Amino acid sequence: MKKINIGLLGCGTVGTGVAKLLIENRELIRSRVGAALNLKYVADIDIQTDRGISFDDGVFISDAQKVLDDPDIDIIIEMIGGEGLAKEFIQKAIHNGKHVVTANKALIASHGNTLLRAAAEKGIDFAFEASVGGCMPIIKSLRESLVGNRITSMIGILNGTCNYILSKITDEGKTFEAALSEAQASGFAEADPTLDVEGFDTAHKLAILNSLAYGMEINLKDIYIEGISGITPLDIEFAGEFGYRIKLLAIGKDKGDAVEARIHPTMIPFDNILSNVNSNLNAVMVSGDAVGDMLLYGYGAGMMPTGSAVISDAADIARNILSGAKAGRVPLLSYQSENIRKIPVMPVDEIFTHYYFRFSALDRPGVLSKISGILGKHDISIKSVHQKGRKTGGSVPIVMLTHLAKEADVKKALSEIMLLDVVGDKPVIIRIEDQNGQD
């Protein structure tokens, strides 16, 4: 039986999951792949901490260069993370002609165009299924299963930390701060949660998916990003009264000569299946001209779910090696390299969507007409209005939902409304995705 040698760089949470699967499920994997996926080396700076794995002698080492330079290693699995050392090691692996598997979404989103081009020129495979959606095979679906489809949109919940926090605020009435603390205590959020809660992690994933779906170069810098730290129980309560839940969504849409790409808290109706994806689960709805809507759902992070996706990539590469298939048999970014273009990301000011506004206004006659008058002047039509009871100091929340409006017009109107002496605090704005209410 042929043996495919693997070198694993990094044995943190996900790296440990990868090693466990390769060792504990080796016979299962061998029976499916037709070769032994042999974990020859695991390199990590910390080789003292017990990972709960019985490595063979000489497998667990601290010298990553030894792994990269070993001529018998066929596949390098990078589980270090970040954009520094991981990038250096991947470049070395490519230079040495070794196939690469990674879960490093930040690296792919920021440097993928360069790294994938180098891999293609070297004639090696570069796989990154685990970089988006954990165990959900969204990358394989876009690259292979949906090859006959024109992808019209992708809308997804791609960060389990944010989804957990919003679920706690919605279902238990917790504040953002309390929900975040609970997420950290449960291991769903980092000590510094900025990348997650401010939307950057989700943006990394959307940048990758856009490239695969639309044949564009990976473009992270132009994605509009807005996090969930400003979401309050009050706004979630109002959303529920209107028949919506609030989720942090990644939204990518084909606009012909541009791609709409944005990350922000979004109100979606109760009957939208994504509204019922809770806790730390992920889901993405892909719409294609042949398949219609297709949903993928599962754990987007974690030792074993993400490890499973990494093993899937390693198995695909092993099968290519066994069959003598040319590397890049399936294009690394779904499209043939000559067909990948620089497609612009639509500026957020150009989008049209529905909006939720919450104003804190003095309880005086004529306030509502002043606000609605400014909105009307900027071509923003009001769909419904709720004005709640009196509050201390005479301020009351005024909540409005709009018909379709242009983001640039909304910004102009809100800037003008903030100048009114009867309106205090900054208005809250949440965009709405409601396919049933397009108008």
Side-chain angles (χ1 to χ4, degrees):
M1 176 75 59
K2 183 170 175 60
K3 181 168 63 176
I4 306 294
N5 287 315
I6 292 176
L8 173 61
L9 305 182
C11 198
T13 299
V14 178
T16 298
V18 171
K20 280 180 176 289
L21 286 170
L22 285 172
I23 293 171
E24 295 174 4
N25 289 359
R26 70 177 79 191
E27 290 305 313
L28 173 67
I29 296 169
R30 179 195 57 76
S31 67
R32 288 174 167 168
V33 173
L37 298 191
N38 177 52
L39 187 57
K40 185 173 183 181
Y41 289 121
V42 177
D44 194 277
I45 193 171
D46 172 18
I47 60 173
Q48 303 303 319
T49 301
D50 183 13
R51 268 56 169 204
I53 304 172
S54 297
F55 292 113
D56 292 338
D57 290 343
V59 170
F60 199 20
I61 64 175
S62 59
D63 186 359
Q65 294 298 333
K66 181 177 181 179
V67 183
L68 292 165
D69 291 334
D70 188 328
D72 293 332
I73 293 291
D74 300 294
I75 302 171
I76 291 290
I77 298 178
E78 181 275 308
M79 293 286 110
I80 298 169
E83 299 179 36
L85 200 57
K87 180 183 177 184
E88 178 186 328
F89 285 165
I90 287 177
Q91 288 175 321
K92 181 69 176 292
I94 292 172
H95 179 267
N96 288 349
K98 301 184 186 305
H99 303 290
V100 174
V101 176
T102 182
N104 195 333
K105 65 254 182 191
L107 183 64
I108 300 300
S110 299
H111 304 286
N113 292 320
T114 300
L115 292 174
L116 292 168
R117 189 178 302 115
E121 290 172 355
K122 192 69 175 180
I124 63 169
D125 275 321
F126 191 123
F128 46 95
E129 180 67 64
S131 66
V132 182
C135 66
M136 298 188 303
I138 178 60
I139 290 176
K140 183 180 285 288
S141 295
L142 289 171
R143 290 174 62 190
E144 299 180 42
S145 302
L146 299 176
V147 68
N149 284 254
R150 185 179 302 278
I151 306 301
T152 56
S153 70
M154 299 175 293
I155 300 177
I157 297 167
L158 295 176
N159 185 275
T161 299
C162 290
N163 205 39
Y164 180 89
I165 291 170
L166 290 174
S167 296
K168 286 291 179 179
I169 299 174
T170 302
D171 299 333
E172 301 177 22
K174 294 182 181 292
T175 63
F176 171 82
E177 291 75 16
L180 172 58
S181 294
E182 190 169 326
Q184 290 170 323
S186 301
F188 299 141
E190 301 290 342
D192 179 0
T194 303
L195 281 175
D196 290 319
V197 302
E198 297 304 337
F200 300 112
D201 173 81
T202 306
H204 291 149
K205 297 168 184 176
L206 181 60
I208 295 168
L209 293 185
N210 281 341
S211 179
L212 293 160
Y214 304 124
M216 62 189 292
E217 290 189 350
I218 299 171
N219 182 348
L220 174 63
K221 68 181 181 65
D222 292 331
I223 294 177
Y224 176 79
I225 306 172
E226 184 180 315
I228 66 167
S229 56
I231 297 298
T232 68
L234 180 61
D235 294 307
I236 284 180
E237 178 185 341
F238 282 137
E241 292 180 7
F242 285 112
Y244 296 97
R245 286 179 72 107
I246 298 176
K247 298 290 186 181
L248 182 74
L249 292 189
I251 299 172
K253 297 182 179 180
D254 182 4
K255 294 296 181 179
D257 56 354
V259 169
E260 191 174 314
R262 45 193 169 102
I263 311 294
H264 51 70
T266 312
M267 288 168 52
I268 52 177
F270 289 155
D271 62 1
N272 184 319
I273 196 167
L274 291 175
S275 74
N276 296 305
V277 176
N278 296 315
S279 190
N280 61 324
L281 286 157
N282 283 200
V284 59
M285 181 79 74
V286 180
S287 297
D289 60 352
V291 298
D293 293 336
M294 185 186 80
L295 181 79
L296 292 172
Y297 169 89
Y299 288 103
M303 177 188 292
M304 304 312 285
T306 308
S308 171
V310 172
I311 298 301
S312 170
D313 277 341
D316 279 349
I317 293 173
R319 287 171 175 143
N320 284 343
I321 293 172
L322 291 172
S323 65
K326 181 181 177 182
R329 179 185 63 83
V330 179
L332 302 183
L333 282 176
S334 187
Y335 286 70
Q336 297 294 331
S337 58
E338 63 271 19
N339 294 320
I340 294 177
R341 299 170 293 147
K342 288 186 177 181
I343 302 175
V345 170
M346 177 183 290
V348 71
D349 283 355
E350 298 299 314
I351 72 164
F352 282 82
T353 190
H354 300 84
Y355 294 86
Y356 160 100
F357 302 141
R358 177 168 60 82
F359 304 99
S360 178
L362 295 180
D363 189 13
R364 295 179 186 173
V367 171
L368 186 57
S369 64
K370 286 182 179 180
I371 293 174
S372 58
I374 293 173
L375 292 173
K377 185 176 73 172
H378 291 280
D379 298 319
I380 301 166
S381 177
I382 299 169
K383 186 175 182 179
S384 59
V385 179
H386 281 199
Q387 183 171 339
K388 291 297 181 179
R390 297 171 184 267
K391 302 291 181 181
T392 303
S395 291
V396 295
I398 297 175
V399 177
M400 297 179 175
L401 300 188
T402 76
H403 292 284
L404 278 178
K406 189 176 182 179
E407 179 91 7
D409 294 334
V410 167
K411 288 181 177 177
K412 291 175 186 176
L414 294 185
S415 296
E416 193 170 329
I417 289 170
M418 286 176 64
L419 298 177
L420 296 175
D421 58 5
V422 293
V423 174
D425 299 329
K426 185 178 179 180
V428 173
I429 171 177
I430 301 175
R431 297 163 191 87
I432 303 171
E433 284 290 313
D434 187 353
Q435 293 180 340
N436 296 324
Q438 296 298 316
D439 54 3

